[in-house]
Structures are given as C-alpha cells and as structure tokens.
Amino acid sequence: MIRQRLLKTIASNLCAAILIFFQACLPVLSKDCHDPASGKRPRVGLALGGGGTRGAAHVGVIKVLAQEGIPIDMIAGTSMGAIVGGLYAAGLTADEIGTKFSDGSLMRSYMTVPIPVRIAAVPIFFMARMLGRKPYDGFYRGNKFAKYLNNSVPQDKRNIQDLVLPLSALATNLVDGKAYALKEGEFGRVLQASSAVPVLRRPVPLSGKLFVDGALVANVPVGQAREMGADIVIAVDVDERVSQVPIESFRKLGSVSKRILTLYLAQKDQEELDKADIVIHPQVDGIGLISTRIADAKHAMAAGEAAAREALPAIRQKLQSFQLLSTPTGKTVADQKLNDENLH
C-alpha cells in the first residue's frame, strides 16, 4: 500500500516536472525564428519577372529601394528580370544599369539585327540546312548579347557564383520541360539562357541541358527566392494588365498571339505572386516585349520608380514587423543605405 502511494507520488511529481518543463519551453519553441530578441534579421529577396523591354521597370524599383535603404540580400530573376538583377548583383548601380537602357545599347545587343531583316534572311538559313548544317531553331544565337553582358561587369564578377549578391536565374530546359535555377556558370551565358525567347532566340546548351526563357514555367520566381533563403519576398511583376480590348483590335497581325501570351502570363504568374509578401506592378501596358524604342525603356523605368514609391508604406510596414528598420547592430535605415551605396 505504502509502495503504491510512493509510486503514485513519484509519477505525479514526474508528470508535474514534465509539464513545467514544457510550459517553460513552449514559448521558446513556438517563437518565430525571427524574434527581434534573437539578434538576427530576416533576409529580403527580390523576385524580378520577365517581360522584355517592360523589364526596364526593375531598374526604377531597385533605384527606389536603394535610395530608401531597403535591404536586398538576394535576387531571383527570369529573363529580363535575371538580366537587370544580375547586373545589380554584379555591383552595378541602378543608374548605371539605367544608362544601358536609355542609351539603347542593351536592347541593341539583344536584337542585333532588326526582325524584318532577319525574317528576310530565312531562305538563306534554309539553304544552310539543305547543305547539312542543322543549328538549333531560332532567329538569333544570342552570343553577342552574352559577350555584351560579360563586358558590362567587372572581370572578377563574370561567374554567377562570384557576384556581390546571390543570384538565381530561371530558365526552362526544353528536354524535360522543367524550370532550373541557374546559380553558377559564366555570367553572360547564364543570362543568355534565361532570356532566350523561343523562336526569336536559339536555345542555349548548358551542362547537358537545352535552355530557353524561364518565363514558360516561372515568370516571376517568388518560390525560387524563398528557396534561396528569403524570409521576405518583394515581387516585381512587369506583365501587361488584363483588360477588355476592342474586338476589332484582333485584325492586326500578331494581335492574337500577343493577347494569348498576356492571358497566359497573367494566370501563370498569379500562382507565384500569391506567395510574395509584397507585389509591385508597374504600369507598363503598351510597351512591346522586344521594343527597341528608348522612349519605351525610359517610360518603363519611370513606371518602376512610381510603383515602388507607392509600395513603400507596405514595404516599411512589413520590415517594421520584423524590426528591420533598426538592425541588431543598432544601425539605422540611413546607415543601411550608406552600406548599400558603398557595396554598389
């Protein structure tokens, strides 16, 4: 009898001890890993979408974020998003990247020969095929563009793995139809692969795979930014907005394919945008995917700035919720801004 009471007492005390232990530990175990008291801050990632010339808006967005001291720890980009993000990750400032759009050099390097001229030369390409030469399908190889990109960054930043900021460039492998995050390799070659618009540009062979534009499977790579370790993701969508258009507008050559692309991207991108903490959507409607007009590039950059400034209150609120506007070392936003400027 005494033995049974003793065992019950021991069991009761043991249960009480276990309960006290878990009551003490649960608050710690249930805390968010980014508790301000931990002395660590969450990492901020940019997810920059594809969109051709409309992607010049990314420059305006990055410019505002840098000016306002918003930290950028990593970048995931697709197509033009990978190009702009890659140049910034290599150490170029937003103004330096903007100059490449405003002087027309970037798009001229991308479209080395006007499309009408290239189409006129199609019979010559067929002749070459008849003679046994069988290149990958597409109007442009893109090698000059890769060289242009390599020459745009410092010598020691011509490999993706050596950039100032981590970069992930999304591309689609034609062989298996899957999206791949390219995180290493020659800078220009990787960005050439991520921006190889099907038919317009030839696929890019890399590591036994055959890559084209990543927009086919992940045009705004929010998920990839998360996989890179971003706790807060700011997504920049440069798609045209879907709105009703006059029925007569579809009598124009190429109007149907353009509309289908707009509808497809709007639906496909929403899946990724839903995963983002902040979505910035510049007003770039009407700017052609492969426009070489400098006015279009300048308009896109201005639209990016305007949209980023409009999103600042939401961004600040998100950062303040993690106390990111005052870093663990006691640095203020102004200090962070100086660090970013010194970095770039």
Side-chain angles (χ1 to χ4, degrees), residues 82-100:
I83 293 168
V84 173
L87 292 171
Y88 186 72
L92 275 68
T93 65
D95 286 337
E96 289 171 335
I97 303 171
T99 298
K100 295 183 178 299

PDB file of all heavy atoms in Angstrom, residues 82-100:
ATOM      1  N   ALA A  82      16.225  38.538 -64.721  1.00  0.00           N
ATOM      2  CA  ALA A  82      17.534  37.961 -64.424  1.00  0.00           C
ATOM      3  C   ALA A  82      18.643  38.874 -64.921  1.00  0.00           C
ATOM      4  O   ALA A  82      19.692  39.006 -64.277  1.00  0.00           O
ATOM      5  CB  ALA A  82      17.655  36.583 -65.063  1.00  0.00           C
ATOM      6  N   ILE A  83      18.421  39.522 -66.063  1.00  0.00           N
ATOM      7  CA  ILE A  83      19.435  40.418 -66.633  1.00  0.00           C
ATOM      8  C   ILE A  83      19.648  41.630 -65.735  1.00  0.00           C
ATOM      9  O   ILE A  83      20.777  41.945 -65.339  1.00  0.00           O
ATOM     10  CB  ILE A  83      19.025  40.858 -68.056  1.00  0.00           C
ATOM     11  CG1 ILE A  83      19.062  39.656 -69.000  1.00  0.00           C
ATOM     12  CG2 ILE A  83      19.933  41.975 -68.558  1.00  0.00           C
ATOM     13  CD1 ILE A  83      18.398  39.907 -70.338  1.00  0.00           C
ATOM     14  N   VAL A  84      18.548  42.327 -65.399  1.00  0.00           N
ATOM     15  CA  VAL A  84      18.662  43.509 -64.542  1.00  0.00           C
ATOM     16  C   VAL A  84      19.165  43.104 -63.159  1.00  0.00           C
ATOM     17  O   VAL A  84      20.065  43.738 -62.595  1.00  0.00           O
ATOM     18  CB  VAL A  84      17.305  44.241 -64.424  1.00  0.00           C
ATOM     19  CG1 VAL A  84      17.387  45.372 -63.407  1.00  0.00           C
ATOM     20  CG2 VAL A  84      16.887  44.789 -65.781  1.00  0.00           C
ATOM     21  N   GLY A  85      18.573  42.033 -62.608  1.00  0.00           N
ATOM     22  CA  GLY A  85      19.002  41.564 -61.295  1.00  0.00           C
ATOM     23  C   GLY A  85      20.458  41.132 -61.294  1.00  0.00           C
ATOM     24  O   GLY A  85      21.190  41.379 -60.331  1.00  0.00           O
ATOM     25  N   GLY A  86      20.886  40.502 -62.384  1.00  0.00           N
ATOM     26  CA  GLY A  86      22.268  40.056 -62.481  1.00  0.00           C
ATOM     27  C   GLY A  86      23.252  41.208 -62.514  1.00  0.00           C
ATOM     28  O   GLY A  86      24.296  41.179 -61.852  1.00  0.00           O
ATOM     29  N   LEU A  87      22.926  42.246 -63.274  1.00  0.00           N
ATOM     30  CA  LEU A  87      23.806  43.416 -63.344  1.00  0.00           C
ATOM     31  C   LEU A  87      23.918  44.091 -61.979  1.00  0.00           C
ATOM     32  O   LEU A  87      25.000  44.524 -61.572  1.00  0.00           O
ATOM     33  CB  LEU A  87      23.281  44.398 -64.395  1.00  0.00           C
ATOM     34  CG  LEU A  87      23.374  43.919 -65.855  1.00  0.00           C
ATOM     35  CD1 LEU A  87      22.628  44.874 -66.785  1.00  0.00           C
ATOM     36  CD2 LEU A  87      24.836  43.784 -66.294  1.00  0.00           C
ATOM     37  N   TYR A  88      22.789  44.169 -61.267  1.00  0.00           N
ATOM     38  CA  TYR A  88      22.815  44.777 -59.936  1.00  0.00           C
ATOM     39  C   TYR A  88      23.598  43.895 -58.964  1.00  0.00           C
ATOM     40  O   TYR A  88      24.384  44.386 -58.156  1.00  0.00           O
ATOM     41  CB  TYR A  88      21.391  44.978 -59.428  1.00  0.00           C
ATOM     42  CG  TYR A  88      21.317  45.745 -58.121  1.00  0.00           C
ATOM     43  CD1 TYR A  88      21.582  47.109 -58.074  1.00  0.00           C
ATOM     44  CD2 TYR A  88      20.997  45.097 -56.933  1.00  0.00           C
ATOM     45  CE1 TYR A  88      21.531  47.809 -56.875  1.00  0.00           C
ATOM     46  CE2 TYR A  88      20.938  45.786 -55.727  1.00  0.00           C
ATOM     47  CZ  TYR A  88      21.199  47.150 -55.711  1.00  0.00           C
ATOM     48  OH  TYR A  88      21.144  47.832 -54.518  1.00  0.00           O
ATOM     49  N   ALA A  89      23.393  42.589 -59.059  1.00  0.00           N
ATOM     50  CA  ALA A  89      24.105  41.655 -58.185  1.00  0.00           C
ATOM     51  C   ALA A  89      25.606  41.666 -58.451  1.00  0.00           C
ATOM     52  O   ALA A  89      26.397  41.315 -57.574  1.00  0.00           O
ATOM     53  CB  ALA A  89      23.552  40.243 -58.369  1.00  0.00           C
ATOM     54  N   ALA A  90      25.993  42.092 -59.653  1.00  0.00           N
ATOM     55  CA  ALA A  90      27.412  42.155 -60.012  1.00  0.00           C
ATOM     56  C   ALA A  90      28.073  43.427 -59.491  1.00  0.00           C
ATOM     57  O   ALA A  90      29.295  43.583 -59.583  1.00  0.00           O
ATOM     58  CB  ALA A  90      27.579  42.072 -61.524  1.00  0.00           C
ATOM     59  N   GLY A  91      27.267  44.349 -58.952  1.00  0.00           N
ATOM     60  CA  GLY A  91      27.841  45.561 -58.372  1.00  0.00           C
ATOM     61  C   GLY A  91      27.496  46.851 -59.082  1.00  0.00           C
ATOM     62  O   GLY A  91      27.875  47.932 -58.632  1.00  0.00           O
ATOM     63  N   LEU A  92      26.761  46.775 -60.208  1.00  0.00           N
ATOM     64  CA  LEU A  92      26.373  47.999 -60.902  1.00  0.00           C
ATOM     65  C   LEU A  92      25.260  48.700 -60.115  1.00  0.00           C
ATOM     66  O   LEU A  92      24.429  48.043 -59.486  1.00  0.00           O
ATOM     67  CB  LEU A  92      25.876  47.696 -62.323  1.00  0.00           C
ATOM     68  CG  LEU A  92      26.945  47.575 -63.421  1.00  0.00           C
ATOM     69  CD1 LEU A  92      27.788  46.324 -63.198  1.00  0.00           C
ATOM     70  CD2 LEU A  92      26.291  47.539 -64.800  1.00  0.00           C
ATOM     71  N   THR A  93      25.256  50.019 -60.157  1.00  0.00           N
ATOM     72  CA  THR A  93      24.178  50.767 -59.517  1.00  0.00           C
ATOM     73  C   THR A  93      22.971  50.802 -60.446  1.00  0.00           C
ATOM     74  O   THR A  93      23.079  50.513 -61.645  1.00  0.00           O
ATOM     75  CB  THR A  93      24.609  52.208 -59.218  1.00  0.00           C
ATOM     76  OG1 THR A  93      24.840  52.895 -60.465  1.00  0.00           O
ATOM     77  CG2 THR A  93      25.886  52.236 -58.380  1.00  0.00           C
ATOM     78  N   ALA A  94      21.837  51.204 -59.882  1.00  0.00           N
ATOM     79  CA  ALA A  94      20.627  51.313 -60.701  1.00  0.00           C
ATOM     80  C   ALA A  94      20.826  52.329 -61.815  1.00  0.00           C
ATOM     81  O   ALA A  94      20.356  52.123 -62.939  1.00  0.00           O
ATOM     82  CB  ALA A  94      19.442  51.709 -59.815  1.00  0.00           C
ATOM     83  N   ASP A  95      21.516  53.417 -61.523  1.00  0.00           N
ATOM     84  CA  ASP A  95      21.760  54.442 -62.555  1.00  0.00           C
ATOM     85  C   ASP A  95      22.622  53.891 -63.689  1.00  0.00           C
ATOM     86  O   ASP A  95      22.389  54.194 -64.865  1.00  0.00           O
ATOM     87  CB  ASP A  95      22.432  55.673 -61.942  1.00  0.00           C
ATOM     88  CG  ASP A  95      21.467  56.512 -61.120  1.00  0.00           C
ATOM     89  OD1 ASP A  95      20.241  56.420 -61.361  1.00  0.00           O
ATOM     90  OD2 ASP A  95      21.929  57.263 -60.236  1.00  0.00           O
ATOM     91  N   GLU A  96      23.611  53.084 -63.340  1.00  0.00           N
ATOM     92  CA  GLU A  96      24.485  52.505 -64.368  1.00  0.00           C
ATOM     93  C   GLU A  96      23.714  51.531 -65.251  1.00  0.00           C
ATOM     94  O   GLU A  96      23.922  51.494 -66.472  1.00  0.00           O
ATOM     95  CB  GLU A  96      25.671  51.810 -63.705  1.00  0.00           C
ATOM     96  CG  GLU A  96      26.675  52.775 -63.086  1.00  0.00           C
ATOM     97  CD  GLU A  96      27.731  52.072 -62.254  1.00  0.00           C
ATOM     98  OE1 GLU A  96      27.466  50.964 -61.753  1.00  0.00           O
ATOM     99  OE2 GLU A  96      28.835  52.647 -62.105  1.00  0.00           O
ATOM    100  N   ILE A  97      22.843  50.762 -64.639  1.00  0.00           N
ATOM    101  CA  ILE A  97      22.019  49.837 -65.424  1.00  0.00           C
ATOM    102  C   ILE A  97      21.039  50.631 -66.283  1.00  0.00           C
ATOM    103  O   ILE A  97      20.812  50.311 -67.453  1.00  0.00           O
ATOM    104  CB  ILE A  97      21.248  48.865 -64.507  1.00  0.00           C
ATOM    105  CG1 ILE A  97      22.212  48.090 -63.617  1.00  0.00           C
ATOM    106  CG2 ILE A  97      20.415  47.884 -65.342  1.00  0.00           C
ATOM    107  CD1 ILE A  97      21.544  47.273 -62.533  1.00  0.00           C
ATOM    108  N   GLY A  98      20.471  51.685 -65.706  1.00  0.00           N
ATOM    109  CA  GLY A  98      19.526  52.527 -66.438  1.00  0.00           C
ATOM    110  C   GLY A  98      20.135  53.134 -67.686  1.00  0.00           C
ATOM    111  O   GLY A  98      19.462  53.260 -68.714  1.00  0.00           O
ATOM    112  N   THR A  99      21.399  53.487 -67.608  1.00  0.00           N
ATOM    113  CA  THR A  99      22.084  54.061 -68.767  1.00  0.00           C
ATOM    114  C   THR A  99      22.121  53.083 -69.930  1.00  0.00           C
ATOM    115  O   THR A  99      22.024  53.478 -71.101  1.00  0.00           O
ATOM    116  CB  THR A  99      23.520  54.477 -68.384  1.00  0.00           C
ATOM    117  OG1 THR A  99      23.462  55.488 -67.375  1.00  0.00           O
ATOM    118  CG2 THR A  99      24.276  55.024 -69.596  1.00  0.00           C
ATOM    119  N   LYS A 100      22.226  51.807 -69.628  1.00  0.00           N
ATOM    120  CA  LYS A 100      22.273  50.804 -70.689  1.00  0.00           C
ATOM    121  C   LYS A 100      20.940  50.709 -71.429  1.00  0.00           C
ATOM    122  O   LYS A 100      20.893  50.314 -72.593  1.00  0.00           O
ATOM    123  CB  LYS A 100      22.660  49.439 -70.094  1.00  0.00           C
ATOM    124  CG  LYS A 100      24.071  49.423 -69.520  1.00  0.00           C
ATOM    125  CD  LYS A 100      24.467  48.062 -69.017  1.00  0.00           C
ATOM    126  CE  LYS A 100      25.884  48.092 -68.505  1.00  0.00           C
ATOM    127  NZ  LYS A 100      26.860  48.466 -69.566  1.00  0.00           N
TER     128      LYS A 100
END
